[in-house]
Amino acid sequence: MDDAFYQLNEEQIKPVMDINGRVLVVAGAGSGKTRVLTARIAYLLQMGVDPQNILAITFTNKAAEEMKDRISKSSDLGQFITACTFHSLCARILRVYGNVLGYDKNFTIFDEEDRGRAVKKVLEYMPGYDKKDKDFYLEHISKAKNYCLSPAQYYEETKYEVTEALSIREVYETYEKELKFNNALDFDDLLIKCYELLSQHYEVLSILQERCHYIHVDEFQDTNEIQFKLVSLLSQKYGNLFVVGDEDQSIYGWRGSKISHIVDFKKYFSDAKVYKLEQNYRSTPEILDLANNVIKHNAYRNEKVLWTKNPSDKESVKFKRNEGDREEADFVSSQIMRLQKMGVPFRQMAILIRITALSRIFEEKLTLYGIPYKVFGGYRFYERKEVKDALAYVRMTINPKDSDSIVRIINYPRRGIGEKTIEHLIELALDNNLTLYDTIINIDKIEPALKPKLQSFIDVMLDLQLVESNSDPKEFIEHMIKVSGLERTLSESKDIEDEARLENIKELVNAVDEFLKDNPNATLADYIQSSALLSAADAFTDDEYVSIATVHAVKGLEFDTVFICGCEDELFPLKRIIDGGDPAEMEEERRLMYVAITRAKRQLFVSYAANRFRRTASFTGVYRTKISRFVVEMNPTFDQMNGDRPKSNWNGSLSGNAWNNSQNTYVQNSIYNRKGHGYSQQSTYGQQYNPKPQPKPVLKTEPKKDPVDVSKFKKNQIVEHKKFGRGIIMDIIGEGDSMVLKIAFKGLGVKQFSAVIAAPLLKIIEE
């Protein structure tokens, strides 16, 4: 093994050399866990292990590619190992063996938008249901699938707790039928169906176990129940399971990940060996002190303390109290300009926030300062409408059962096929027990009167089928853009935004070309699967922009300079978590702060506003904030405040004397134990928030105004903003006074506006 390349320390070498049995590496933030993982695989190759018997599972496609690149630098055999995400692995398995469960190999993968559209359609066709409740049902369906529960099982789990349990079961069952009808699986199904396949069909499991002699899993603290079961099944025969993770960075409990998988690893596998990595290579000692001070207040964790040989820098940590939220955004923007002039690239700076709603004010300030930025959590390339429209033609071609894609494009570009005609076609398909594709192709036999109206679309369908079978993926995409009518429609449009949309569609050709260079023998179906499985973390690039992101979005990333903003109680931690009083949720919230701190390499700014504007159902105006309890746990000093002494209206001092530091014993409720979050029945929780009583603040409310009509705003409208110019409404969230508009402006990215506030500034140009 090339020690010069990997530069492993003594503690890292131990797990790398331990190649037999089950091994857990508890790797603190910035301790070189990826280096250990890749070195271990390289060592296996050096020991003569067949690369096709090595499996490495990560949580992003980007991480998987980087892992293969690193290993390939040490061994030519590195390119032959399988490195992929859980979802990608399951998709590959189902493409080959999914027919055992009744799925065609070219099944479509539904993303979040597809899922929402499918549930909305289900609600429209079910008497007594309202499509406006789509998000409610989506949330419960997702929760059920995270715990691998069928509609009937989820009903049994929730019937005494959730009033709508029966209706959830009915919608969930109908949604599953809709997926099956479309030969489609959603992201959760990829895991569920793969587990169903392996647990119920031993012959398939046996084949795959024979391929997986050595299994490696990165970010093991983020595995949910079904992912844990999958790796347990696959590693059962040879028993070689190597997992790396950090329970202090477990921040996805809300979507089913179980911290117990790493904290209680030896309970699951009694013969497992455990190694700890505590030396940090990323941050300054001062930054690590803050991280250690915060996370030590969590009870449910492996005891460890991060340390580093990096040089000390007392200026690397700064706390900033701002009078208001606008002052906070102004402070951050001015610091970014200062640092950029000092040589820190924009791409090495990040503004981290707990909730996306805080991004707007930073976007406005960065724009005024002329600072390039990108908001993560907004619309990525493959989520743009025009790109999804184009890909729908591809999905229809490779999976003719995908009725959802057909409905999306049958009248786009416009072909005079209205909603009533589409509804009638769906009814004909159901009545004749046919797919929508077959119904349209054979319409002259089913209802000849409809053929003239559908002929142009039928021509496109047949043409694409023929070309796809006789051309490579790149040629097909180029042909599809032309024959579908997308190129002609957008190029002839007088809308200036359509020029950009056409460029985005043409960018698909480049995307396919790059994919084929990396995967020479790939098919069009492989490309569609790859694009469907891209995650938010894969969107980060090395381009010159400041990143504005939620803490969840930057997990696994690092930046030279980090600004953690909005560090106030009710924002970070969230009000819901404070009010809920669940210690398990508060510990996860604290881990989120720990993740935020440890993203910083050289400089960390912790920022908060003494006053913040808020708009709720009951109150609109400026309110006094309370400094985040997590900031108090960091135990900052007055010197770190750069002379900005704390004010009495902080409701707490920097030394933490407004908080009760006594230990508080709690009994964990049944929901967390029942779902296996791993908390013992009785545990000790660190600092319980107990602020001194404060005078009730005087709230400043705006004078009553005539109600603003926000119903005029529609998705995909072209609007003109007095300040930012023309844009397109990409999405609308909420209703009435709480409606939020997501508007994409050319050269400025996607901005979020409160519809009530923005209405006077927006002019509708085109419906």
Side-chain angles (χ1 to χ4, degrees):
M1 183 170 58
D2 188 353
D3 286 334
F5 174 75
Y6 288 107
Q7 299 177 338
L8 301 178
N9 63 38
E10 187 177 339
E11 295 305 312
Q12 292 170 331
I13 291 174
K14 292 176 183 177
V16 167
M17 306 288 282
D18 193 345
I19 62 172
N20 294 311
R22 295 179 175 89
V23 176
L24 165 65
V25 180
V26 180
S31 62
K33 67 178 177 62
T34 304
R35 184 185 308 164
V36 168
L37 201 58
T38 52
R40 208 257 191 173
I41 294 173
Y43 182 64
L44 286 173
L45 294 172
Q46 187 182 32
M47 296 294 290
V49 176
D50 188 332
Q52 294 190 40
N53 293 143
I54 298 174
L55 171 64
I57 303 175
T58 69
F59 273 79
T60 69
N61 296 285
K62 188 176 182 180
E65 288 303 314
E66 289 177 353
M67 184 182 296
K68 290 188 74 168
D69 287 344
R70 286 197 192 193
I71 297 166
S72 297
K73 290 178 182 177
S74 176
S75 170
D76 292 337
L77 297 175
Q79 61 183 308
F80 299 112
I81 70 162
T82 299
C84 57
T85 65
F86 269 107
H87 289 87
S88 180
L89 173 66
C90 291
R92 292 186 195 186
I93 293 172
L94 291 170
R95 294 286 183 205
V96 179
Y97 302 105
N99 62 306
V100 175
L101 301 178
Y103 287 91
D104 183 277
K105 67 177 182 177
N106 287 325
F107 59 81
T108 296
I109 300 173
F110 273 21
D111 63 16
E112 288 304 305
E113 183 185 326
D114 298 326
R115 288 180 68 185
R117 195 163 53 250
V119 170
K120 185 177 178 181
K121 183 194 297 184
V122 163
L123 294 172
E124 287 175 341
Y125 280 92
M126 292 179 68
Y129 287 85
D130 191 337
K131 63 183 180 182
K132 292 180 181 178
D133 296 328
K134 176 195 69 176
D135 292 341
F136 170 80
Y137 290 108
L138 274 172
E139 180 182 348
H140 280 280
I141 291 171
S142 184
K143 187 180 293 184
K145 290 192 174 189
N146 275 330
Y147 292 114
C148 202
L149 298 175
S150 68
Q153 290 170 329
Y154 189 69
Y155 170 72
E156 290 300 321
E157 286 279 324
T158 60
K159 63 183 179 182
Y160 298 118
E161 301 172 10
V162 182
T163 307
E164 302 86 350
L166 183 59
S167 64
I168 292 168
R169 173 179 175 171
E170 292 173 347
V171 173
Y172 185 3
E173 287 174 339
T174 312
Y175 168 70
E176 290 295 279
K177 292 175 183 176
E178 177 72 13
L179 287 174
K180 191 74 173 180
F181 178 73
N182 283 280
N183 188 37
L185 297 171
D186 62 25
F187 284 136
D188 295 324
D189 284 332
L190 292 175
L191 303 179
I192 292 170
K193 297 302 179 184
C194 190
Y195 176 67
E196 182 182 326
L197 177 71
L198 299 187
S199 60
Q200 296 179 12
H201 299 274
Y202 179 75
E203 68 283 3
V204 177
L205 174 63
S206 182
I207 293 170
L208 293 171
Q209 285 178 335
E210 202 53 51
R211 282 289 306 270
C212 303
H213 291 206
Y214 293 89
I215 298 176
H216 305 75
V217 185
D218 196 7
E219 305 287 4
F220 196 67
Q221 76 282 347
D222 293 334
T223 53
N224 61 25
E225 185 67 23
I226 197 165
Q227 290 165 338
F228 182 81
K229 287 179 177 179
L230 281 168
V231 294
S232 297
L233 276 174
L234 289 171
S235 64
Q236 210 169 54
K237 183 172 184 177
Y238 289 96
N240 297 320
L241 177 61
F242 184 91
V243 304
V244 183
D246 179 13
E247 77 286 345
D248 290 337
Q249 297 183 69
S250 178
I251 58 175
Y252 295 110
W254 49 275
R255 70 180 189 195
S257 69
K258 293 175 65 174
I259 189 174
S260 64
H261 290 160
I262 190 166
V263 177
D264 298 326
F265 191 75
K266 281 188 69 68
K267 292 181 181 178
Y268 293 110
F269 307 109
S270 58
D271 61 341
K273 289 155 283 186
V274 180
Y275 298 91
K276 288 185 182 181
L277 303 180
E278 297 174 285
Q279 182 178 353
N280 177 282
Y281 290 90
R282 178 185 298 160
S283 309
T284 67
E286 288 76 13
I287 292 173
L288 294 184
D289 284 345
L290 265 62
N292 287 325
N293 286 344
V294 168
I295 204 62
K296 71 183 180 183
H297 291 91
N298 274 6
Y300 190 58
R301 61 188 292 261
N302 291 301
E303 185 62 36
K304 62 180 178 298
V305 177
L306 293 180
W307 62 277
T308 186
K309 290 183 179 179
N310 291 340
S312 176
D313 181 3
K314 292 184 178 180
E315 293 298 311
S316 64
V317 173
K318 291 184 173 65
F319 293 81
K320 176 62 176 175
R321 173 193 182 278
N322 303 278
E323 192 60 34
D325 45 8
R326 292 188 176 277
E327 286 77 9
E328 180 182 43
D330 196 57
F331 165 75
V332 171
S333 300
S334 63
Q335 289 300 309
I336 289 173
M337 287 301 297
R338 179 182 67 83
L339 292 166
Q340 196 266 343
K341 289 176 181 177
M342 293 174 62
V344 181
F346 286 132
R347 67 178 179 276
Q348 279 297 325
M349 290 186 268
I351 300 170
L352 304 187
I353 50 181
R354 177 63 182 89
I355 57 175
T356 55
L358 294 187
S359 73
R360 179 191 59 80
I361 195 166
F362 290 102
E363 291 183 64
E364 290 181 359
K365 285 293 182 182
L366 292 179
T367 300
L368 291 174
Y369 275 79
I371 298 171
Y373 68 87
K374 189 172 181 180
V375 181
F376 290 88
Y379 280 80
R380 302 190 296 276
F381 178 74
Y382 287 105
E383 293 176 338
R384 292 168 181 161
K385 178 186 178 299
E386 62 270 21
V387 175
K388 290 179 74 70
D389 288 336
L391 289 178
Y393 280 95
V394 185
R395 284 166 43 162
M396 173 192 69
T397 305
I398 62 177
N399 177 20
K401 293 181 181 179
D402 187 352
S403 299
D404 183 72
S405 291
I406 294 174
V407 170
R408 182 184 186 106
I409 58 176
I410 190 172
N411 196 42
Y412 185 76
R414 291 179 181 176
R415 300 182 176 92
I417 305 172
E419 289 294 326
K420 289 185 178 180
T421 301
I422 296 171
E423 290 174 9
H424 184 52
L425 288 169
I426 293 172
E427 290 172 1
L428 288 174
L430 294 172
D431 292 342
N432 291 278
N433 196 27
L434 294 171
T435 65
L436 186 57
Y437 185 95
D438 288 336
T439 301
I440 295 171
I441 291 293
N442 296 289
I443 197 66
D444 57 339
K445 300 174 184 176
I446 300 170
E447 194 165 318
L450 280 177
K451 187 173 183 181
K453 183 175 287 190
L454 299 176
Q455 189 62 58
S456 62
F457 186 60
I458 293 172
D459 292 342
V460 171
M461 297 167 81
L462 295 174
D463 181 274
L464 292 178
Q465 283 284 340
L466 178 64
V467 173
E468 193 274 331
S469 61
N470 293 287
S471 62
D472 67 33
K474 182 183 176 183
E475 291 171 343
F476 174 80
I477 295 290
E478 290 175 325
H479 181 77
M480 177 275 296
I481 293 172
K482 289 182 171 64
V483 77
S484 64
L486 291 172
E487 183 176 53
R488 183 188 69 255
T489 300
L490 294 174
S491 63
E492 293 176 356
S493 172
K494 295 179 181 179
D495 183 352
I496 58 171
E497 298 297 330
D498 278 343
E499 183 180 349
R501 295 187 185 104
L502 180 57
E503 288 303 312
N504 286 334
I505 289 176
K506 289 183 175 180
E507 182 61 26
L508 279 174
V509 179
N510 295 331
V512 172
D513 190 39
E514 290 174 7
F515 180 76
L516 292 175
K517 287 177 181 176
D518 294 335
N519 306 274
N521 298 317
T523 64
L524 192 61
D526 293 329
Y527 168 71
I528 290 296
Q529 174 177 300
S530 173
S531 64
L533 294 175
L534 286 175
S535 69
D538 294 315
F540 285 85
T541 68
D542 291 330
D543 294 341
E544 271 301 295
Y545 56 76
V546 173
S547 297
I548 305 176
T550 62
V551 184
H552 283 100
V554 295
K555 172 78 181 304
L557 303 178
E558 59 183 39
F559 302 89
D560 180 280
T561 302
V562 168
F563 298 84
I564 310 176
C565 300
C567 293
E568 301 134 30
D569 264 5
E570 299 191 1
L571 276 182
F572 204 170
L574 294 174
K575 184 178 188 299
R576 172 183 60 79
I577 291 172
I578 295 172
D579 293 345
D582 189 332
E585 288 193 340
M586 185 60 78
E587 289 208 353
E588 178 156 324
E589 195 78 352
R590 185 176 284 107
R591 291 193 292 269
L592 197 60
M593 177 60 81
Y594 174 84
V595 168
I597 295 169
T598 53
R599 298 313 92 199
K601 293 163 65 176
R602 296 177 58 191
Q603 294 187 83
L604 174 67
F605 292 83
V606 179
S607 173
Y608 35 87
N611 302 279
R612 188 171 293 276
F613 182 84
R614 171 175 284 185
R615 180 183 294 275
T616 67
S618 59
F619 164 68
T620 296
V622 176
Y623 74 104
R624 281 291 199 193
T625 68
K626 294 178 182 178
I627 185 174
S628 169
R629 63 199 65 198
F630 299 150
V631 176
V632 175
E633 290 172 357
M634 295 176 198
N635 196 27
T637 66
F638 290 171
D639 288 339
Q640 288 171 318
M641 289 297 298
N642 289 332
D644 186 11
R645 286 185 60 84
K647 309 290 175 62
S648 59
N649 58 21
W650 279 13
N651 299 325
S653 75
L654 291 178
S655 62
N657 59 15
W659 274 258
N660 180 357
N661 292 325
S662 62
Q663 297 294 300
N664 178 51
T665 302
Y666 68 87
V667 177
Q668 181 60 32
N669 270 332
S670 60
I671 183 67
Y672 269 85
N673 283 321
R674 190 167 73 245
K675 299 304 182 190
H677 283 238
Y679 285 78
S680 59
Q681 277 291 334
Q682 191 163 332
S683 180
T684 301
Y685 175 67
Q687 291 185 318
Q688 182 70 17
Y689 181 54
N690 184 23
K692 292 179 179 178
Q694 297 294 324
K696 189 174 182 179
V698 177
L699 305 180
K700 298 179 181 179
T701 58
E702 294 179 342
K704 289 186 177 180
K705 300 177 181 178
D706 293 333
V708 178
D709 178 19
V710 296
S711 63
K712 61 185 179 181
F713 296 119
K714 309 293 180 189
K715 195 172 177 180
N716 299 323
Q717 276 179 336
I718 304 298
V719 294
E720 186 168 74
H721 190 279
K722 285 188 177 181
K723 177 178 176 183
F724 300 113
R726 286 202 175 186
I728 181 171
I729 298 178
M730 304 296 291
D731 199 7
I732 297 177
I733 302 170
E735 297 177 340
D737 289 350
S738 61
M739 181 186 287
V740 174
L741 305 175
K742 286 188 174 182
I743 305 178
F745 295 97
K746 192 170 184 179
L748 298 176
V750 178
K751 296 180 177 295
Q752 294 188 110
F753 300 90
S754 164
V756 173
I757 296 175
L761 303 174
L762 289 171
K763 178 182 177 183
I764 297 173
I765 303 299
E766 183 179 324
E767 296 291 338

